[in-house]
Amino acid sequence: MSKIGFIGLGIMGRPMAGHLLDAGHELVTVKRGSLDATLAEKGMREVASPAAVAAEAEVIITMVPDTPDVEQVLFGEDGIIEGLKPGTLVIDMSSIAPMPTQEFARRIHEAGGEYVDAPVSGGEGGAINAALTIMVGATVEGFERAHPILEVMGKTITRIGGHGAGQTCKVANQIVVALTIEAVSEGLLFASKAGADVAKVRESLLGGLAQSKILDVHGERMINRTFDPGFKIKLHQKDLNLALEGARTLNLALPGTANAQQLFQACAAHGGEDWDHAGIVRALEELANHQIGQS
């Protein structure tokens, strides 16, 4: 069993840390308000700073919102690098920009650590059920060291390539997810506006070529009007910004991604940045002057 530092106990991080505790690992985190009672009961401890976490841990996992947050935790005042011991494995499971990830990896390696980028897909449900898809950028050695820990939290764990490759895969994932949520929204909105029983339309589509996990999970959210996150629109906006910034660098057009980002922005303008990303349907409903399920 390992001594693991876990920084970032949000919607996804809490259940992920819980699985590691259940597996017998010893966990320490940075004190931020009140520690989740369940994690405290399982033995998670708190210390004052990321540097203090690093001083105690053999493995450090970060699960924070954005690229600047990872940089601050790693290299800011009292950051991980200040307490990093030689040989420490640093696993960043946040969803951040690929190019800075490569620089973070270089700096951690120069300080004597091993860096792995390992963003996840599967949402809150995947985190709770330890069924996340984990996309890894690492050296072969780093991947082999990280794998036994990652498999406690995930179901599909794939080394995509070297440092930054996991983050590149996650950006691609977020493009596909956003466009698929938009497609499901448009399909169900069309069916509802045409007067069909939208629940039965969804049931039928789940048996055909249009079947997808997004149609299953997010289609149900749209019909039932349950937009508590899951995965917040503002976080998906952040991921699509990474996609569009990367596309400009690559001289690549991503028109569907740009359109999905505009719909997310419309949601945010209506106070919906903290809605689940299935809430993109509400922007389309506004344009149609029709809500799914209305007669």
Side-chain angles (χ1 to χ4, degrees):
M1 295 299 102
S2 299
K3 293 182 179 178
I4 299 176
F6 200 112
I7 300 174
L9 300 174
I11 290 173
M12 302 283 286
R14 281 194 302 273
M16 293 163 66
H19 293 310
L20 292 168
L21 288 163
D22 290 340
H25 295 290
E26 180 183 337
L27 262 65
V28 61
T29 191
V30 177
K31 184 171 179 58
R32 293 281 188 273
S34 299
L35 181 62
D36 178 84
T38 301
L39 297 179
E41 289 171 5
K42 292 180 178 181
M44 184 173 238
R45 296 185 297 105
E46 296 176 297
V47 294
S49 67
V53 168
E56 293 199 23
E58 305 164 282
V59 178
I60 303 168
I61 296 172
T62 53
M63 185 64 173
V64 296
D66 204 349
T67 308
D69 302 302
V70 176
E71 184 172 21
Q72 179 64 29
V73 167
L74 291 176
F75 307 114
E77 184 178 356
D78 290 325
I80 284 169
I81 201 162
E82 294 187 17
L84 192 74
K85 302 190 297 291
T88 300
L89 178 63
V90 179
I91 306 173
D92 178 38
M93 303 189 76
S94 319
S95 295
I96 67 170
M99 292 302 292
T101 291
Q102 294 176 8
E103 175 63 13
F104 297 166
R106 183 190 65 78
R107 293 176 69 180
I108 291 295
H109 276 252
E110 287 181 352
E114 180 77 46
Y115 193 89
V116 172
D117 52 287
V120 304
S121 180
E124 183 182 14
I128 290 170
N129 295 315
L132 293 167
T133 293
I134 305 177
M135 305 156 242
V136 182
T139 63
V140 173
E141 178 185 356
F143 179 69
E144 290 175 351
R145 286 185 63 192
H147 193 274
I149 293 166
L150 298 177
E151 66 182 357
V152 175
M153 299 174 283
K155 191 173 182 180
T156 303
I157 304 162
T158 306
R159 179 179 178 265
I160 307 300
H163 297 121
Q167 297 295 353
T168 296
C169 184
K170 179 59 187 288
V171 172
N173 178 84
Q174 296 303 81
I175 293 170
V176 173
V177 169
L179 270 62
T180 307
I181 294 175
E182 182 184 352
V184 169
S185 300
E186 292 191 13
L188 295 183
L189 183 59
F190 171 82
S192 179
K193 182 73 171 181
D197 183 330
V198 72
K200 290 191 179 297
V201 169
R202 171 180 165 274
E203 180 183 347
S204 179
L205 294 178
L206 283 170
L209 190 59
Q211 190 278 334
S212 71
K213 187 171 184 179
I214 287 171
L215 176 61
D216 184 11
V217 175
H218 293 79
E220 185 175 40
R221 284 179 179 268
M222 294 170 194
I223 294 168
N224 294 338
R225 320 306 295 171
T226 52
F227 298 116
D228 293 338
F231 187 76
K232 294 180 180 181
I233 279 175
K234 66 182 178 183
L235 294 178
H236 211 143
Q237 285 183 285
K238 177 262 297 182
D239 292 339
L240 294 192
N241 279 338
L242 296 177
L244 294 169
E245 289 165 5
R248 283 191 290 273
T249 301
L250 296 168
N251 197 26
L252 176 67
L254 298 177
T257 303
N259 187 59
Q261 184 72 309
Q262 288 298 305
L263 291 170
F264 280 139
Q265 185 58 43
C267 291
H270 283 79
E273 64 177 10
D274 289 328
W275 296 341
D276 184 84
H277 52 174
I280 198 172
V281 71
R282 299 173 79 168
L284 293 165
E285 289 172 337
E286 184 74 17
L287 291 171
N289 193 29
H290 178 85
Q291 180 177 300
I292 285 176
Q294 289 179 335
S295 58

